[in-house]
Amino acid sequence: MGKVKIDKEDKSRVILTELLPYEVPMLFSNEGFYNIIRNGELEYFEKKVKGTKYKEWNEQFTLPFNYDIKKNIVGDTRTLSVIHPFTQKRFINLFENYDSLILHLCSKSPFSLRKINKIAKFYFSPNFVFDEENLVNPDREVEPEILDAESQYIKSYFTYKPIDLIYKFYDRNEFQRLEQRYNFLMDFDVSKCFYHIYTHSITWAVKDKESAKLNSNKSTFENIFDKLMQHSNYNETNGIVVGPEVSRIFAEIILQQVDLNVLAKLTKSNLKFGIDYDVRRYVDDYFVFSNNSETLEVVKKAFQKELQFYKLYLNPNKGEVKVSPFLSDIAVGKLEIREFLIEFYNNLFEDNVIEETVSRQIKEINKPYVLSQNFIKKFQSIVKRNDLTYDTLSKDVVRFFKSKLVELLKDDIKLYNIQRSENFLLMLLDIVLYCYSVNINTNTTFRIAQIIVLLVKYLETKNKPDVKHSVYSKIYRDSEFILTNFHRKQVKNETSIETINLLLAIKKLGNDYQFSPEKIADYFNLEDENLCNLNYFHFTTLIYYFNNDLLYTKIKYKIIDEIIERFKQENIFLKSEYTLLFFDMINCPYLEERHKIMLMKNSKYVINQAGNAEIKSEIDKIQSQKRWFMNWEQDIDLERVLKKKEWTSSY
């Protein structure tokens, strides 16, 4: 893992790090858009889209692309948003002019577990299982891009302290120290925090309410940020877009001021922070410690009152008081499953002597599915015994085996016996795909996709077609079963990022292991007459999956017809979804020119009187950018794509 210096003068890197949700299809990103901005090419396309109202556009609202994803095992969903790309560009100036002020405003609270520490100077380039130089096709010409290695793995514009992910809090010595000092813990959170944030309240947090009202028309940081968040979200003042890091920064500025106000009021009440009580806050989750249960209530009420001033409210279903030790059923279950995982995994190996060197090798496994079923029964018993649900522990199992597979593939000597490896891999797949099937979510899907991609890379280097077929068939059969059941359970308007990403990973198995048109139609409700449930992510993923394969021609044309029809709407480019879709479809190598011409006309990107020569010229200009948002390359290295996702994991 190498340490690489970031070009701090490149303020446009916020496009890569701060403005998209984590839960998106793996081939969707802002990398192409970032290059277009860096190349100075975007202004031409902005003017074409905005037409004669170019100057007035910045004062208008834009509509984010909203989509629902699965939230938990019981089927609840949450809405995430992709901000309009032209509005995203405006955030570059915000960070360029005010990044130091943002740092200051997000680093004041002694309560915050995720305060901004500094502007990032370095990033750590991740190691890969398979060396890039061994994978490059020397005959393939590659266009030089601005998005080089120094941009690909930047995690965020800022660094955070003391932690960047909430689970790390429980593993810190700090948590143990708090448990030693205090007998009681109360945790609570803000109810639907981001959906309820009043955008004007950032001006109250930075200044005060009276000053904010007196200076509402001035071009100050807080007013600019307020307007940008409104503009990103249909000019709504009640609620902000959910998903992008910039929304968490916006919320953190407000919640930091809430913290300081509560601290001041409790100090006036003679309650000493660090002695009578302690508070830790991770985004909108609060942890209050004290030796007096009544003090916990006093602190909670102080937060309740201060949050109400900012039009935010505590979740009425939270606020349970825990008595030391603060080890929950979840924590006990996680400890138990980890101990079992380590014991189970170590028992799969034995010492072996190769050329007078003792090394650990995989044992011979005669009945892989008996072994995996024994594991699954033990896993089920741990879940049951600790009164948990599958979603609390299944991701730990997938994460563990994914990391162990990476270790094995990097140390190929442990897998030297390919016949032994076959049963080992079948057993591993049976376990992880079962655990995935009982708790399908975005994070775990990315890990399953990593497992699939790494196994494909590994087996493609081995001259063992029977082993390859055995493993690929296992992945295909189980994935088909999982997707069929998942589709039956899901809410119809879910975007199903999980299905999309699993489908993209399975495509790497090759043509012999692809789903039939009937299966695809079932998974995405393509039998519906008007395809009203499909959105940008569905359209781009399905067309990528179909590419120019004649097997899918009928449903591919049905989807293209639906896309073309949707562009008959008025003011189509005010909508983020259709702006993304337009540029990606024009740039798509799997659409015929006649379809692109129809898109140009329906969208009014060109005037009604434009001839085919003029339209084709505009198509060429869009295509000359190589990539916009969707990566259309069929031979893309998904190991690197997924490593980026792992590197920028959700909060």
Side-chain angles (χ1 to χ4, degrees):
M1 186 178 293
K3 189 176 181 181
V4 182
K5 192 171 184 178
I6 292 171
D7 178 9
K8 292 177 69 176
E9 297 303 313
D10 176 20
K11 301 299 181 182
S12 56
R13 70 184 187 274
V14 301
I15 295 292
L16 295 172
T17 61
E18 313 300 301
L19 293 165
L20 290 182
Y22 170 77
E23 298 87 348
V24 296
M26 64 176 80
L27 295 184
F28 170 80
S29 77
N30 267 347
E31 291 177 10
F33 188 55
Y34 166 83
N35 280 335
I36 293 167
I37 292 172
R38 288 287 305 277
N39 283 325
E41 301 284 348
L42 187 63
E43 186 176 357
Y44 174 83
F45 301 105
E46 276 191 287
K47 287 183 177 179
K48 287 294 297 182
V49 162
K50 297 173 182 179
T52 57
K53 296 184 178 180
Y54 182 66
K55 290 182 179 179
E56 291 80 11
W57 177 284
N58 283 344
E59 301 304 319
Q60 290 189 52
F61 58 81
T62 53
L63 282 73
F65 166 36
N66 297 326
Y67 59 100
D68 291 337
I69 66 164
K70 186 180 177 185
K71 182 179 179 181
N72 53 38
I73 198 169
V74 298
D76 295 333
T77 62
R78 64 185 179 121
T79 301
L80 302 181
S81 301
V82 177
I83 298 170
H84 194 293
F86 295 161
T87 305
Q88 288 184 42
K89 193 193 76 166
R90 293 173 59 196
F91 281 92
I92 296 172
N93 288 335
L94 181 79
F95 279 76
E96 184 173 13
N97 296 325
Y98 298 108
D99 55 3
S100 295
L101 179 57
I102 292 172
L103 193 158
H104 167 69
L105 293 170
C106 291
S107 59
K108 300 186 296 182
S109 168
F111 299 164
S112 181
L113 285 166
R114 196 178 184 268
K115 65 182 72 172
I116 291 178
N117 181 33
K118 57 187 176 182
I119 298 167
K121 295 180 181 178
F122 300 95
Y123 75 92
F124 291 91
S125 178
N127 295 327
F128 298 100
V129 175
F130 298 94
D131 293 335
E132 190 160 7
E133 56 266 25
N134 295 334
L135 299 169
V136 172
N137 179 356
D139 298 324
R140 183 181 170 205
E141 292 186 9
V142 180
E143 291 286 337
E145 292 185 348
I146 288 178
L147 184 69
D148 54 20
E150 293 189 6
S151 301
Q152 290 183 15
Y153 303 104
I154 296 174
K155 186 172 183 178
S156 61
Y157 189 90
F158 298 105
T159 63
Y160 294 84
K161 71 173 187 180
I163 60 173
D164 57 353
L165 295 168
I166 192 168
Y167 77 86
K168 295 180 181 179
F169 175 48
Y170 301 102
D171 295 333
R172 286 170 57 83
N173 288 335
E174 178 188 17
F175 186 81
Q176 295 172 12
R177 292 293 186 192
L178 288 166
E179 186 179 54
Q180 288 176 301
R181 288 166 55 193
Y182 298 105
N183 294 327
F184 301 105
L185 163 65
M186 176 189 284
D187 54 30
F188 49 85
D189 61 27
V190 180
S191 179
K192 298 181 179 178
C193 180
F194 288 32
Y195 301 105
H196 289 160
I197 285 178
Y198 182 53
T199 63
H200 292 332
S201 65
I202 193 172
T203 63
W204 313 341
V206 174
K207 299 284 177 62
D208 58 65
K209 200 167 186 177
E210 185 177 349
S211 297
K213 289 184 178 294
L214 291 173
N215 297 285
S216 60
N217 293 321
K218 291 188 177 180
S219 185
T220 60
F221 160 73
E222 59 273 18
N223 286 335
I224 293 170
F225 207 172
D226 175 12
K227 287 289 185 185
L228 263 179
M229 295 306 283
Q230 289 180 51
H231 189 89
S232 302
N233 194 29
Y234 207 1
N235 271 0
E236 290 286 344
T237 56
N238 187 26
I240 61 175
V241 292
V242 178
E245 178 62 31
V246 72
S247 295
R248 289 188 278 280
I249 292 171
F250 190 88
E252 184 67 19
I253 291 172
I254 296 167
L255 295 176
Q256 287 247 343
Q257 191 57 47
V258 170
D259 291 349
L260 295 177
N261 293 348
V262 168
L263 177 62
K265 289 179 179 178
L266 292 174
T267 301
K268 282 185 179 180
S269 300
N270 294 320
L271 287 175
K272 295 180 180 179
F273 173 63
I275 297 175
D276 297 310
Y277 73 98
D278 244 301
V279 177
R280 298 293 182 272
R281 176 181 56 79
Y282 185 85
V283 190
D284 59 347
D285 290 306
Y286 294 85
F287 306 88
V288 182
F289 301 84
S290 181
N291 285 316
N292 187 326
S293 59
E294 292 179 359
T295 300
L296 296 178
E297 286 296 335
V298 171
V299 174
K300 181 183 177 183
K301 286 179 180 177
F303 274 108
Q304 194 167 30
K305 185 174 182 180
E306 193 60 35
L307 285 164
Q308 284 177 0
F309 175 81
Y310 288 91
K311 301 184 183 295
L312 296 170
Y313 302 91
L314 293 180
N315 185 340
N317 298 320
K318 297 286 184 72
E320 178 187 356
V321 176
K322 298 172 184 175
V323 180
S324 179
F326 303 139
L327 205 61
S328 65
D329 290 341
I330 293 176
V332 173
K334 284 181 176 292
L335 285 171
E336 194 173 343
I337 195 68
R338 176 155 187 82
E339 289 173 359
F340 171 59
L341 281 165
I342 293 170
E343 179 188 2
F344 177 85
Y345 185 76
N346 287 339
N347 285 335
L348 297 173
F349 294 86
E350 62 186 7
D351 289 335
N352 205 348
V353 179
I354 301 176
E355 297 179 356
E356 300 182 355
T357 301
V358 178
S359 63
R360 297 285 286 169
Q361 306 292 331
I362 294 172
K363 289 180 181 177
E364 188 168 354
I365 300 172
N366 294 319
K367 297 179 178 179
Y369 297 130
V370 171
L371 197 58
S372 61
Q373 288 305 305
N374 288 338
F375 177 95
I376 289 168
K377 288 174 184 175
K378 178 69 173 179
F379 166 74
Q380 291 170 330
S381 69
I382 293 173
V383 171
K384 188 75 172 177
R385 185 164 56 250
N386 291 285
D387 196 25
L388 303 174
T389 53
Y390 284 130
D391 58 320
T392 53
L393 298 183
S394 58
K395 57 181 176 287
D396 297 71
V397 176
V398 176
R399 185 189 299 117
F400 177 86
F401 280 110
K402 194 274 294 186
S403 66
K404 292 302 180 185
L405 179 64
V406 168
E407 289 177 11
L408 285 173
L409 295 178
K410 285 182 177 179
D411 184 13
D412 194 25
I413 193 169
K414 290 184 178 179
L415 290 169
Y416 83 102
N417 187 322
I418 192 67
Q419 299 305 136
R420 286 191 180 187
S421 297
E422 177 183 0
N423 281 347
F424 173 85
L425 294 175
L426 291 174
M427 176 217 64
L428 182 148
L429 286 168
D430 203 45
I431 291 171
V432 297
L433 290 171
Y434 168 81
C435 289
Y436 174 59
S437 72
V438 296
N439 178 34
I440 297 174
N441 61 58
T442 306
N443 272 314
T444 313
T445 303
F446 283 133
R447 291 193 178 94
I448 292 294
Q450 282 180 302
I451 290 171
I452 293 171
V453 169
L454 290 173
L455 287 178
V456 168
K457 280 190 172 184
Y458 173 72
L459 292 171
E460 289 297 326
T461 66
K462 306 298 177 184
N463 187 24
K464 289 289 182 179
D466 53 335
V467 176
K468 175 180 165 182
H469 175 68
S470 176
V471 172
Y472 283 18
S473 296
K474 171 67 176 172
I475 293 170
Y476 173 81
R477 288 194 309 270
D478 283 24
S479 297
E480 183 181 44
F481 176 80
I482 289 167
L483 288 176
T484 299
N485 283 325
F486 182 61
H487 171 69
R488 288 170 182 167
K489 293 177 183 177
Q490 76 179 112
V491 179
K492 197 161 188 178
N493 63 349
E494 278 180 48
T495 296
S496 188
I497 296 296
E498 300 84 1
T499 301
I500 286 171
N501 283 323
L502 188 57
L503 200 68
L504 291 171
I506 291 168
K507 188 169 177 61
K508 285 296 179 182
L509 298 177
N511 292 334
D512 293 336
Y513 305 92
Q514 299 309 303
F515 294 121
S516 68
E518 292 75 22
K519 278 289 180 187
I520 297 294
D522 182 40
Y523 297 152
F524 292 93
N525 300 310
L526 300 184
E527 67 277 0
D528 291 358
E529 188 173 336
N530 59 7
L531 305 182
C532 61
N533 289 310
L534 296 189
N535 62 32
Y536 163 76
F537 286 150
H538 297 125
F539 289 138
T540 50
T541 300
L542 288 170
I543 290 175
Y544 178 88
Y545 188 86
F546 300 153
N547 56 75
N548 289 323
D549 192 329
L550 296 177
L551 181 66
Y552 302 104
T553 299
K554 184 177 178 180
I555 53 175
K556 176 182 170 182
Y557 280 172
K558 183 178 181 180
I559 288 170
I560 292 171
D561 288 344
E562 173 68 18
I563 293 170
I564 291 170
E565 183 65 25
R566 290 197 189 183
F567 274 87
K568 291 180 179 178
Q569 301 175 47
E570 292 295 322
N571 299 316
I572 196 76
F573 288 115
L574 281 175
K575 299 177 181 179
S576 175
E577 178 179 8
Y578 293 114
T579 303
L580 299 169
L581 186 60
F582 175 80
F583 286 105
D584 274 342
M585 288 298 103
I586 298 299
N587 199 43
C588 177
Y590 314 119
L591 253 67
E592 298 168 25
E593 188 176 80
R594 63 188 178 94
H595 293 135
K596 296 181 181 183
I597 290 172
M598 292 172 72
L599 275 174
M600 281 278 180
K601 290 180 176 179
N602 282 4
S603 66
K604 297 183 175 61
Y605 186 86
V606 293
I607 60 174
N608 292 334
Q609 297 79 16
N612 279 356
E614 181 183 345
I615 294 173
K616 288 177 183 178
S617 174
E618 293 298 339
I619 290 172
D620 289 342
K621 286 174 183 174
I622 291 172
Q623 292 178 161
S624 70
Q625 300 307 314
K626 307 299 180 187
R627 179 177 170 192
W628 283 79
F629 306 98
M630 177 71 178
N631 192 327
W632 293 111
E633 294 179 39
Q634 290 291 325
D635 60 349
I636 186 172
D637 185 356
L638 284 186
E639 182 191 357
R640 276 149 181 76
V641 172
L642 290 163
K643 197 68 178 179
K644 290 178 194 177
K645 297 302 295 185
E646 182 181 26
W647 211 238
T648 55
S649 54
S650 62
Y651 82 105

